[in-house]
């Protein structure tokens, strides 16, 4: 990958609504070249989709999110791929990763309530073949998501103090 492509990817990842003219200036290429490069990156699958980082708490949505960790018995000749593909089909699953450590797979799931997330894990995930153990962690508050800080600290005005 060329350095100009890497710069364009970083800029788009930071803000996918940056105008093409600004992307071109920042990457030090012409607008036509920037457009061609982005088209090639989309066609190659390096750019999977464009999206927004939403602070759902501020938006007024009461959804609950949780991190679900799974211990999985890998399948001969397929490893974790088949079970991951099955799990990824559930609409509640926002992201799915293979990881190192005590657990094998990590899911980020969302639902209307903790009860619904618990039901999803108990009825859909835990009974699957090859799932040996689950651990559910409810997300209480998100401070930063995909590089975007949500909870800005409010400055407290300090009153003068003297004796």
């Amino acid at each position: 990958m060329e350095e100009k492509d890497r710069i364009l990817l970083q800029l788009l990842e930071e803000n996918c609504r940056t105008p093409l003219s600004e992307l071109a200036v920042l990457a030090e290429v012409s607008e036509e070249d920037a457009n061609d490069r982005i088209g090639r990156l989309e066609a190659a699958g390096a750019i999977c989709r464009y999206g927004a980082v939403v602070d759902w708490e501020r938006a007024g949505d009461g959804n609950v999110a949780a991190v679900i960790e799974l211990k999985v018995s890998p399948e001969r000749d397929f490893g974790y791929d088949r079970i991951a593909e099955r799990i990824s089909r559930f609409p509640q699953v926002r992201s799915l990763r293979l990881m190192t450590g005590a657990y094998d797979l990590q899911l980020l799931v969302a639902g209307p309530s903790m009860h619904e997330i618990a039901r999803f894990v108990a009825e859909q995930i835990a009974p699957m073949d090859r799932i040996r153990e689950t651990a559910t962690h409810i997300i209480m508050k998100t401070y930063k998501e995909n590089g975007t800080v949500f909870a800005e600290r409010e400055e407290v005005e300090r009153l003068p103090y003297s004796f």
Side-chain angles (χ1 to χ4, degrees):
M1 175 182 299
E2 293 182 30
E3 185 60 25
K4 301 292 183 184
D5 293 339
R6 188 176 314 283
I7 291 168
L8 286 169
L9 288 172
Q10 289 170 338
L11 292 168
L12 288 169
E13 186 176 47
E14 187 176 313
N15 182 1
C16 64
R17 295 190 66 185
T18 303
L20 184 62
S21 58
E22 191 175 328
L23 291 172
V25 169
L26 292 169
E28 298 178 346
V29 296
S30 69
E31 281 189 46
E32 183 180 341
D33 188 27
N35 192 47
D36 291 345
R37 287 173 182 272
I38 291 168
R40 284 194 302 273
L41 291 165
E42 290 170 342
I47 298 174
C48 301
R49 71 179 189 124
Y50 296 92
V53 177
V54 178
D55 184 342
W56 288 106
E57 190 175 319
R58 286 189 183 175
D61 183 21
N63 267 0
V64 176
V67 174
I68 315 294
E69 295 176 316
L70 306 175
K71 286 187 181 177
V72 180
S73 297
E75 191 175 348
R76 185 184 223 39
D77 297 328
F78 295 100
Y80 299 98
D81 293 344
R82 279 194 179 169
I83 190 77
E85 194 269 323
R86 283 180 57 206
I87 292 170
S88 69
R89 291 184 194 151
F90 290 106
Q92 297 92 329
V93 177
R94 306 289 302 170
S95 65
L96 172 60
R97 295 177 175 91
L98 177 64
M99 56 188 213
T100 63
Y103 291 88
D104 305 304
L105 296 176
Q106 180 192 64
L107 291 66
L108 176 63
V109 300
S113 67
M114 284 192 287
H115 178 74
E116 288 299 317
I117 288 176
R119 182 187 313 204
F120 170 68
V121 173
E123 295 177 3
Q124 302 293 327
I125 300 297
M128 291 177 111
D129 289 339
R130 306 207 171 275
I131 302 293
R132 296 188 336 255
E133 186 178 324
T134 69
T136 301
H137 311 278
I138 300 296
I139 297 173
M140 296 170 53
K141 183 172 185 167
T142 300
Y143 294 97
K144 187 174 182 177
E145 184 79 32
N146 291 337
T148 301
V149 175
F150 286 168
E152 294 291 332
R153 187 170 177 210
E154 294 181 21
E155 291 295 321
V156 177
E157 184 180 337
R158 301 190 87 183
L159 299 174
Y161 181 79
S162 65
F163 286 100

